[in-house]
Amino acid sequence: KSIDKMRSVVRGGATVLFVSHNLRAVAELCRRSILLHQGRLQSDGASSDVIHAYMDLCRQRREDTGNLDACIESVSVDGQDGPRFDFRTGEKVVVTVNARANRASPRVACVLYLRDDNYYQVFSVSTERLGRESRDLQPGESVTFRFALDLHLGPGNYQLCAALYRHDIDHAYDVVEPAATLLVTSD
């Protein structure tokens, strides 16, 4: 309803400054967007170009992971035709999480979860819950976790988050929120 109200205001000829992390609303309402990151202008132009710049920024390697025992180096999201962030309800997606140990890191599991527009967690899975044993990582060792999922979600904007976790002592080695943003549409 609020998007319909905003469309009405824009059709009336008003200039609106719309600040949001809801990429779907930005794509639907705004012809032009800007992306600010840590107070600096990162991108300015057509909304679709700025949304892609935001997605690229989310995927870039994070700094200062050397102080973590184990860290997530990258998270990628692929559809049947390669890297994407826009999907249809029910479509298959493959999420790949690359991780590295800086120090000995026992019992590492990988956790994926999705948050909706209101930041409610709507889905969660872990390698341990899928029956895979956790991994004991040695310093410098890298590991790849791969999840194949069917996106049985309603239309919306979802934040894909990833974590390296030790379940037995409830300890997060590393958390990336968001690792990617997924835009889900349906008929």
Side-chain angles (χ1 to χ4, degrees):
K1 292 181 180 183
S2 59
I3 289 179
D4 291 336
K5 288 180 185 178
M6 188 74 116
R7 280 191 191 115
S8 170
V9 170
V10 171
R11 278 194 298 268
T15 299
V16 177
L17 177 62
F18 179 60
V19 179
S20 179
H21 288 261
N22 183 330
L23 299 182
R24 185 175 194 188
V26 170
E28 288 183 19
L29 294 172
C30 307
R31 287 178 288 166
R32 177 177 171 240
S33 297
I34 63 170
L35 171 62
L36 299 175
H37 179 66
Q38 296 179 342
R40 293 198 169 103
L41 180 66
Q42 294 292 310
S43 183
D44 180 355
S47 290
S48 62
D49 294 337
V50 174
I51 289 170
H52 282 283
Y54 171 76
M55 299 304 296
D56 289 341
L57 184 65
C58 288
R59 282 189 291 262
Q60 287 177 358
R61 186 178 187 284
R62 297 166 303 126
E63 297 177 14
D64 299 327
T65 56
N67 62 332
L68 300 173
D69 290 344
C71 65
I72 295 171
E73 291 191 307
S74 66
V75 177
S76 62
V77 179
D78 293 290
Q80 293 177 349
D81 54 350
R84 301 194 10 222
F85 68 89
D86 54 328
F87 295 92
R88 306 224 16 104
T89 295
E91 196 170 349
K92 292 189 182 301
V93 60
V94 175
V95 178
T96 304
V97 178
N98 294 304
R100 174 181 41 83
N102 295 315
R103 287 176 281 292
S105 304
R107 303 197 64 180
V108 176
C110 185
V111 178
L112 289 183
Y113 53 101
L114 287 173
R115 295 187 187 278
D116 67 7
D117 284 336
N118 296 313
Y119 299 100
Y120 292 115
Q121 187 171 309
V122 296
F123 172 80
S124 167
V125 68
S126 110
T127 51
E128 278 194 0
R129 279 190 273 152
L130 291 172
R132 301 284 183 200
E133 288 190 25
S134 57
R135 300 280 307 263
D136 293 332
L137 301 179
Q138 299 306 312
E141 184 178 359
S142 293
V143 63
T144 298
F145 300 97
R146 191 165 285 116
F147 297 83
L149 308 168
D150 293 323
L151 293 178
H152 293 294
L153 300 166
N157 179 47
Y158 297 91
Q159 304 296 315
L160 173 71
C161 306
L164 299 178
Y165 204 77
R166 183 170 172 179
H167 288 285
D168 64 329
I169 61 170
D170 198 28
H171 172 69
Y173 287 105
D174 191 12
V175 177
V176 179
E177 288 187 340
T181 299
L182 306 179
L183 301 175
V184 179
T185 59
S186 75
D187 297 329

